[in-house]
Amino acid sequence: DCLASCLWKDGTLGRTITGSAEDVLLITREKMMSWYDKYFVHGELTVTAAGCVDTEILIDELEKLPVHQKPLDYPGECRFARDNTWHPGLNLVKAGFKRSQIFVMFPYKASLGEKEYYTLSVFNSLAGDTMSSRFFESLREQSGLCYTVYSFFTIYENEVFWGAYASCEREKTGQVLQKLLEEIKRLKEEGVQPQEINDSIEHLTGEETIASQDSEYIMKRLERNYLMGFSNWSSDDIIKEISSVTKDEIHSLINGLFDFSKQNVLVYGSSLKAKQKKEILCLVK
């Protein structure tokens, strides 16, 4: 909730997930039933199934349901208002635990095409999503600054962002943030090496190969691809797409992603000393 609020302020994505106590207290049974009827009984419905499925029985059961709205054709059609404005800057937020949680985030263009999605996946894997990634090797293995460090990306209907995360002792907050920013700037200035890309592709294709035997994963992948307007490829097709990502494509992504004028840094956790705050301000400005 705090992260979303820092990124989008008063936009719809910046709201708390459950709402405020005041919002919840205003809910009546009638309002709840009306909402449920609109969005569940008669709302958009998509169904994906994988495994030992009898298609005829599945269709027969679905045809017994009330009439539902036709799902929107994303990305040509959107469900939500485009009222979210990205807010760059530094946020120091005190919370009730002894450690610091550090986020460094950048917006990316929406909506993502399939090629961009898999390029972003390969880049994210080599940046911070594996034990051989840049961030893991630099901040944990070589520097010993923190135990937990990784990168991630989040996709909403009309917003996409990539982030780096680390958790550390309060006393090391400035050092960890500095190292994280240095690694991000090094990615921007020096790019990536072919071996890093190969390792990342091998990691992702290995995951896809293993997951291809899991009917629950296939069901969720079908749903994700449908909702994002992607092709419903087989695992073999996805592996080919991941394997086709090139160094030039990753460098193009990096150049588009790392616009430091749009950088948002959140330090969330234990109260920092004045000297630490000054140090962080100098790092982020």
Side-chain angles (χ1 to χ4, degrees), residues 86-153:
W86 181 271
H87 290 267
L90 171 64
N91 304 274
L92 303 177
V93 181
K94 183 180 177 181
F97 29 80
K98 298 178 181 179
R99 298 175 66 81
S100 292
Q101 298 191 63
I102 301 167
F103 295 85
V104 181
M105 295 152 295
F106 295 86
Y108 194 59
K109 56 185 175 181
S111 56
L112 288 182
E114 285 170 288
K115 188 64 177 179
E116 292 166 320
Y117 175 82
Y118 291 113
T119 302
L120 182 56
S121 297
V122 172
F123 164 72
N124 184 61
S125 176
L126 70 86
D129 194 38
T130 69
M131 288 189 291
S132 61
S133 64
R134 289 278 189 102
F135 300 157
F136 191 93
E137 286 289 326
S138 177
L139 277 82
R140 174 170 162 168
E141 297 298 289
Q142 297 174 12
S143 305
L145 289 171
C146 60
Y147 182 82
T148 302
V149 57
Y150 59 84
S151 65
F152 64 98
F153 61 93

Side-chain angles (χ1 to χ4, degrees), residues 26-241:
L26 289 174
I27 297 174
T28 63
R29 183 181 186 280
E30 290 71 24
K31 288 179 180 179
M32 179 68 76
M33 294 299 293
S34 175
W35 178 87
Y36 185 82
D37 183 75
K38 179 179 179 180
Y39 291 104
F40 283 80
V41 179
H42 298 290
E44 295 180 51
L45 173 67
T46 60
V47 176
T48 61
C52 186
V53 179
D54 188 315
T55 308
E56 291 185 4
I57 293 176
L58 178 62
I59 291 173
D60 287 342
E61 291 300 315
L62 291 173
E63 286 179 341
K64 296 175 184 178
L65 297 175
V67 176
H68 286 260
Q69 295 180 34
K70 181 181 179 297
L72 296 182
D73 186 16
Y74 181 79
E77 300 175 289
C78 288
R79 298 164 183 80
F80 304 104
R82 297 180 180 272
D83 64 345
N84 298 291
T85 301
W86 181 271
H87 290 267
L90 171 64
N91 304 274
L92 303 177
V93 181
K94 183 180 177 181
F97 29 80
K98 298 178 181 179
R99 298 175 66 81
S100 292
Q101 298 191 63
I102 301 167
F103 295 85
V104 181
M105 295 152 295
F106 295 86
Y108 194 59
K109 56 185 175 181
S111 56
L112 288 182
E114 285 170 288
K115 188 64 177 179
E116 292 166 320
Y117 175 82
Y118 291 113
T119 302
L120 182 56
S121 297
V122 172
F123 164 72
N124 184 61
S125 176
L126 70 86
D129 194 38
T130 69
M131 288 189 291
S132 61
S133 64
R134 289 278 189 102
F135 300 157
F136 191 93
E137 286 289 326
S138 177
L139 277 82
R140 174 170 162 168
E141 297 298 289
Q142 297 174 12
S143 305
L145 289 171
C146 60
Y147 182 82
T148 302
V149 57
Y150 59 84
S151 65
F152 64 98
F153 61 93
T154 300
I155 302 172
Y156 294 103
E157 186 179 78
N158 46 39
E159 295 288 336
V160 178
F161 77 93
W162 176 91
Y165 169 86
S167 174
C168 64
E169 299 169 10
R170 181 183 65 178
E171 293 73 19
K172 294 181 179 179
T173 303
Q175 290 174 274
V176 170
L177 177 57
Q178 180 178 9
K179 196 68 174 176
L180 207 52
L181 292 173
E182 286 175 356
E183 289 300 326
I184 291 172
K185 289 175 182 176
R186 192 159 71 90
L187 280 166
K188 173 81 170 182
E189 294 168 0
E190 300 176 11
V192 298
Q193 299 302 313
Q195 187 59 50
E196 291 181 287
I197 299 172
N198 292 338
D199 290 346
S200 178
I201 288 173
E202 186 173 321
H203 171 77
L204 291 172
T205 55
E207 283 189 330
E208 182 64 35
T209 299
I210 294 171
S212 67
Q213 306 304 310
D214 182 353
S215 58
E216 181 179 354
Y217 165 78
I218 296 172
M219 175 189 68
K220 291 177 179 178
R221 187 186 70 198
L222 288 168
E223 178 74 0
R224 180 198 70 197
N225 289 347
Y226 177 78
L227 292 177
M228 293 183 66
F230 291 177
S231 306
N232 274 325
W233 284 332
S234 67
S235 287
D236 287 342
D237 293 325
I238 291 173
I239 287 171
K240 288 178 183 177
E241 192 69 17

